Amino acid sequence: MKFALFSLVMNIPNAVTGEVLTAQQKFQNILKQAILAEELGFDAYGIGERHGAPFLSSSPPVLLTAIAARTSRIRLLTTVTVLSVLDPVRAAEDYATLDHLSEGRLELIIGKGNDPRHYPLFGITEEEQWESLSERYLLLKRLWSEEDVTWEGRYRPSLHQVTTQPRPYQSAIPIWHGSASSKLSTELAAKHGEPIFSSNSFHPQAKYKELIDHYRERLAFYGHDPRQAVVGAGAGSLYLANTSEEAIKRYRPYYDAFQATSAAQHNNSPFKDLEDTIKNGPSLVGSADAVIEKILDYHSAFGNQVLSISVDGLTEAEQREQVQRFTSEVVPVLRREIPNSVWDNSRNSN
């Protein structure tokens, strides 16, 4: 299995210490986190995209460019790029530039996002999100793979013989499709034979498994080999301790603080409390053995080759502690138990 550390750059008062970071302090924390992820052997680091408090992740290509300048090996992911509201020309230019500055380490995960606040900001309605995403995705692919593009659609002005600059560093920037709630996302990924990344964050396993199963079924329908499907999966919050009881005790204040945010309330989690979330949901809170057992269980359901985790909200010291424990106590077992070749030879320059 391969591993990504990611952040939505959530900046809320620390639930234990009460510390409040300035925006500058939070950005510096993210840079340190990405550097640590590379030092510890993570395969990728991701930045999500949100457009409102408590998140500071409104500009992933800028933040990922800063990370690219401070790292040399780790893959750089967008988790996710909310392409349903972005101008594909601007996205093509920004991310192709990042692709060069990272020397081909960029992979885009696209989606419609799950925060309704971004729709009025960018002039579309929530009802248009899937049609908008599909149109913008197809145009983005053309802008990266073709020159002198002539195009007409609904969600931006028409183009006549446009060639965006710079051209991507990689011969093809990999695109993943973020999947959280709708078969429309898995249908789009399957039609084009591209990988999916299940959010797997807020609901029971069965909901996400249904979408992943649909993706494999539709891959076969479109003539792709479902046995070659590439699947990534997120996870709930990570907190490791010597015992599961200790992990739950230490993590509970963070869980309560996050559940009080408007973002968490919008996700409408079906779990009644932290214990229910750990038992029946994707949260990785417990001893190393308990967390390994849960990840293996989810892998048996999803067949995912990549797992992403986040330590958003913890103190900087606890972030370091958690990612270090994860890479020393959990990762070696999973790399041995679930080998795969994703990202083994992923740099693909012209």
Side-chain angles (χ1 to χ4, degrees), residues 106-127:
L106 172 66
E107 303 202 6
L108 217 64
I109 305 177
I110 66 167
K112 54 86 180 172
N114 69 346
D115 187 337
R117 292 177 295 178
H118 54 232
Y119 298 116
L121 286 177
F122 295 97
I124 73 167
T125 66
E126 192 164 359
E127 292 72 27

Side-chain angles (χ1 to χ4, degrees), residues 10-22 25-26 29 32 254 257 313-319:
M10 181 177 66
N11 196 28
I12 60 175
N14 185 271
V16 174
T17 67
E19 181 183 20
V20 179
L21 298 182
T22 66
Q25 289 171 326
K26 183 61 181 179
N29 167 249
K32 291 181 206 175
Y254 295 113
L314 307 182
T315 65
E316 193 166 292
E318 283 178 301
Q319 290 176 17

Side-chain angles (χ1 to χ4, degrees), residues 195-234:
I196 64 166
F197 218 109
S198 172
S199 68
N200 188 40
S201 299
F202 302 109
H203 297 280
Q205 183 187 95
K207 175 176 180 175
Y208 300 110
K209 184 179 186 302
E210 180 182 3
L211 291 169
I212 294 170
D213 289 346
H214 174 260
Y215 166 66
R216 288 195 170 94
E217 292 167 5
R218 300 305 288 174
L219 277 174
F221 174 83
Y222 288 113
H224 306 291
D225 186 351
R227 295 172 298 180
Q228 302 301 315
V230 176
V231 176

Side-chain angles (χ1 to χ4, degrees), residues 10-295:
M10 181 177 66
N11 196 28
I12 60 175
N14 185 271
V16 174
T17 67
E19 181 183 20
V20 179
L21 298 182
T22 66
Q24 172 62 209
Q25 289 171 326
K26 183 61 181 179
F27 284 132
Q28 292 302 320
N29 167 249
I30 292 299
L31 295 176
K32 291 181 206 175
Q33 194 182 100
I35 292 166
L36 178 62
E38 177 163 280
E39 291 173 351
L40 293 175
F42 277 85
D43 302 284
Y45 188 85
I47 293 292
E49 180 177 347
R50 294 289 182 91
H51 295 275
F55 306 100
L56 303 178
S57 53
S58 58
S59 187
V62 176
L63 192 45
L64 286 170
T65 297
I67 292 170
R70 291 162 173 80
T71 58
S72 61
R73 176 197 58 80
I74 201 164
R75 300 295 294 174
L76 304 176
L77 308 179
T78 62
T79 52
V80 299
T81 291
V82 186
L83 192 58
S84 58
V85 300
L86 301 181
D87 179 358
V89 173
R90 179 80 265 182
E93 295 169 338
D94 284 347
Y95 283 111
T97 302
L98 169 55
D99 196 37
H100 277 274
L101 294 174
S102 67
E103 297 184 302
R105 290 185 280 143
L106 172 66
E107 303 202 6
L108 217 64
I109 305 177
I110 66 167
K112 54 86 180 172
N114 69 346
D115 187 337
R117 292 177 295 178
H118 54 232
Y119 298 116
L121 286 177
F122 295 97
I124 73 167
T125 66
E126 192 164 359
E127 292 72 27
E128 295 174 298
Q129 60 187 332
W130 292 112
E131 181 182 348
S132 173
L133 176 63
S134 179
E135 178 182 293
R136 295 172 200 250
Y137 156 74
L138 293 173
L139 176 55
L140 177 64
K141 284 177 68 72
R142 288 192 62 193
L143 291 169
W144 274 344
S145 62
E146 302 175 27
E147 298 183 358
D148 298 323
V149 173
T150 296
W151 173 92
E152 186 173 338
R154 180 177 177 185
Y155 294 102
R156 62 146 292 124
S158 60
L159 303 175
H160 180 67
Q161 295 186 339
V162 169
T163 302
T164 56
Q165 298 292 342
R167 309 306 295 153
Y169 178 86
Q170 299 177 83
S171 59
I173 295 175
I175 297 178
W176 301 61
H177 295 251
S179 171
S181 60
S182 172
K183 291 179 180 178
L184 293 171
S185 59
T186 48
E187 182 77 18
L188 189 63
K191 183 176 182 179
H192 295 277
E194 293 177 329
I196 64 166
F197 218 109
S198 172
S199 68
N200 188 40
S201 299
F202 302 109
H203 297 280
Q205 183 187 95
K207 175 176 180 175
Y208 300 110
K209 184 179 186 302
E210 180 182 3
L211 291 169
I212 294 170
D213 289 346
H214 174 260
Y215 166 66
R216 288 195 170 94
E217 292 167 5
R218 300 305 288 174
L219 277 174
F221 174 83
Y222 288 113
H224 306 291
D225 186 351
R227 295 172 298 180
Q228 302 301 315
V230 176
V231 176
S237 301
L238 172 74
Y239 207 100
L240 293 161
N242 293 333
T243 67
S244 291
E245 291 76 16
E246 179 189 358
I248 292 170
K249 180 179 179 180
R250 290 178 63 183
Y251 182 69
R252 190 180 302 280
Y254 295 113
Y255 172 85
D256 291 341
F258 180 67
Q259 290 303 113
T261 66
S262 59
Q265 291 166 11
H266 170 73
N267 288 318
N268 195 26
S269 171
F271 306 115
K272 63 183 181 181
D273 54 28
L274 176 57
E275 283 78 6
D276 189 25
T277 302
I278 295 169
K279 180 179 179 181
N280 297 305
S283 289
L284 302 177
V285 177
S287 66
D289 286 344
V291 166
I292 290 168
E293 182 180 0
K294 171 168 276 191
I295 294 171

